[in-house]
Structure formats: C-alpha cells, structure tokens
Amino acid sequence: MNKVLEQWIEQSDNIVFFGGAGVSTESGIPDFRSERGLYSEVPEKMISHTYYVNHTAEFYRFYKDKMLFPDAKPNLTHYKLAELEKSGKLKAVITQNIDGLHQAAGSVNVLELHGSVHRNFCLKCRKMYPLKYILNDTNPIPLCVCGGQLKPDVVLYEESLDMEVLRAAVRYISAADMLIVGGTSLVVQPAASLISYYNGNKLVLINLSETPYDSYANLVITEKIGAALG
C-alpha cells in the first residue's frame, strides 16, 4: 500500500470510500470510458431511458450480453474495503457500480448511486425479482407473473438518482475525516460533484488517468486501485 495512504488510514476513524467502474475492472467487468471500455463498442444511448422505452427488446439483448456478469467475484479492493469497515474505520462505501460486488465481499453499508442489477421490478405491480430470474427468462422482454414488463433497478441515462441515497452520500462525505475516491474518472454528474461536500484535508484520488478534481486532492495516486490499497 502507498505509504502516505497507509498512514492516513491509520490516523483516521471516519473514512468514506467513493468508487467507480475501475474498482470492478480487476474482477473482469469492463469500465465504460477507457480505450477498451463499453462505449468503445456501443453508443451511450443504448443504456438510456429513451432507448429502454422505445427499443426494449434490443435494450435487453445488449443488457444481458454486455452488462451482466453473474460469475464475477470480488477482488482485493472489495475485500480491503470490507476489512476496513469491519475494523470500524470505514463508515460507508458509495459506489457508482451496479454489480453488487462490495456486498459480496462483506461490505454492509453500501450506497448504490446507480442501483443494482440484482434488483428488478415490475412496472405494473412493482413485484421485485432477482438477477437469476432475468438471466433465465427466455422472453425478448422479461415479464412478471402478472404479465407486466420488468425493469432493472438501475439508473439509466435521463433518469434521476434516488434522492434518499444521494442525501445519505452527502451526509457521510460531509462528516468524513478522510475521503478515498477510486476507480472513477469523475465525469458523470451529479455523482462526481459529491466530493465537493468533503470538508477534511485527506482527500485521496486513485485512478489510472487524470480527473477534473486532481487539483483539489491532497494525494493523487495514478495506478490501479488494487495496487494502491493492497
């Protein structure tokens, strides 16, 4: 682990972690905006609300093929964060990811800004379904037992974030004595602007590429997050 990062973690007892797609790339889940990311293959509009409504079957073909990784396992970063939470130092994980790997590694207080592929709901009766149901449904558009259409509980482009989750994220970040931001390019709003609520002097940014917030950080680490935290 980076020596300064290690020292700051030791000195802190109210740490918050805010992470993005780079946290899960080491589990074999591609990110979105890198050279080999998802958007190098398909346009962003395919995960928009408009596309889901107007081309639902096509949306689901893409969604099942490119966005679901049921066999993915947590990596070193996920386990390290779960360990920090168990020790009492880490108070919350705020994630832009929808893969559920933080919970799989043992993290309990996880705020999912963009929802989760593990939750799916009927647009008609609101009955909830697990990921396994979506994977096993052979219809072009997965259906509820009531006949209603199912929708993943993920935030698509053009949709709003859950305000309760967003407010909770602001509360945790505002109270933190250390904020670790990792695996995110910090270009997706409003999620990226959350770091502006941090009031401390131990803001750590860990990412392979530069971010728009590097100049605000107290420590910038340009490497894979697993290497930085390991």
Side-chain angles (χ1 to χ4, degrees):
M1 181 185 290
N2 177 280
K3 294 301 181 183
V4 176
L5 177 61
E6 186 175 19
Q7 182 181 24
W8 286 2
I9 289 175
E10 181 62 30
Q11 295 170 349
S12 305
D13 58 11
N14 190 349
I15 303 170
V16 170
F17 178 82
F18 173 51
V23 173
S24 292
T25 53
E26 291 175 58
S27 293
I29 299 178
D31 62 11
F32 291 87
R33 291 177 171 78
S34 71
E35 185 177 330
R36 297 182 180 179
L38 188 63
Y39 296 150
S40 67
E41 300 181 34
V42 297
E44 294 184 34
K45 70 177 183 180
M46 292 193 74
I47 49 175
S48 68
H49 178 80
T50 297
Y51 197 85
Y52 169 79
V53 171
N54 295 333
H55 308 279
T56 312
E58 290 86 347
F59 167 87
Y60 266 110
R61 277 199 297 271
F62 164 75
Y63 179 72
K64 288 184 176 184
D65 185 45
K66 298 293 186 181
M67 297 190 68
L68 299 182
F69 298 86
D71 298 324
K73 304 298 182 186
N75 60 52
L76 175 64
T77 299
H78 297 108
Y79 286 117
K80 182 64 178 181
L81 293 171
E83 178 186 314
L84 283 173
E85 182 184 35
K86 189 175 182 179
S87 74
K89 286 184 171 291
L90 183 70
K91 304 305 181 185
V93 169
I94 302 168
T95 181
Q96 298 176 82
N97 296 337
I98 58 177
D99 51 48
L101 291 181
H102 284 293
Q103 293 93 328
S107 289
V108 177
N109 193 22
V110 181
L111 304 181
E112 296 172 313
L113 293 174
H114 296 153
S116 172
V117 298
H118 295 278
R119 299 186 300 271
N120 304 271
F121 63 94
C122 175
L123 293 172
K124 184 177 180 181
C125 74
R126 313 305 287 186
K127 179 178 173 64
M128 299 296 294
Y129 288 86
L131 174 59
K132 186 176 180 180
Y133 186 91
I134 299 294
L135 292 170
N136 293 337
D137 193 304
T138 57
N139 294 299
I141 300 172
L143 300 175
C144 175
V145 292
C146 79
Q149 179 177 307
L150 298 188
K151 181 184 182 297
D153 189 17
V154 299
V155 180
L156 304 176
Y157 285 117
E158 305 165 348
E159 295 179 344
S160 300
L161 301 188
D162 183 305
M163 289 307 298
E164 184 177 338
V165 175
L166 196 59
R167 283 193 290 268
V170 170
R171 287 197 303 272
Y172 278 108
I173 290 174
S174 298
D177 61 7
M178 180 177 185
L179 177 61
I180 304 173
V181 181
T184 173
S185 55
L186 292 173
V187 297
V188 177
Q189 299 292 352
S193 61
L194 282 172
I195 69 171
S196 64
Y197 291 95
Y198 177 62
N199 300 305
N201 60 1
K202 287 179 281 190
L203 172 58
V204 182
L205 298 187
I206 307 170
N207 200 52
L208 282 173
S209 58
E210 293 182 2
T211 80
Y213 293 85
D214 282 7
S215 60
Y216 295 93
N218 303 106
L219 176 63
V220 175
I221 302 174
T222 309
E223 63 182 353
K224 289 183 177 181
I225 188 166
L229 291 177

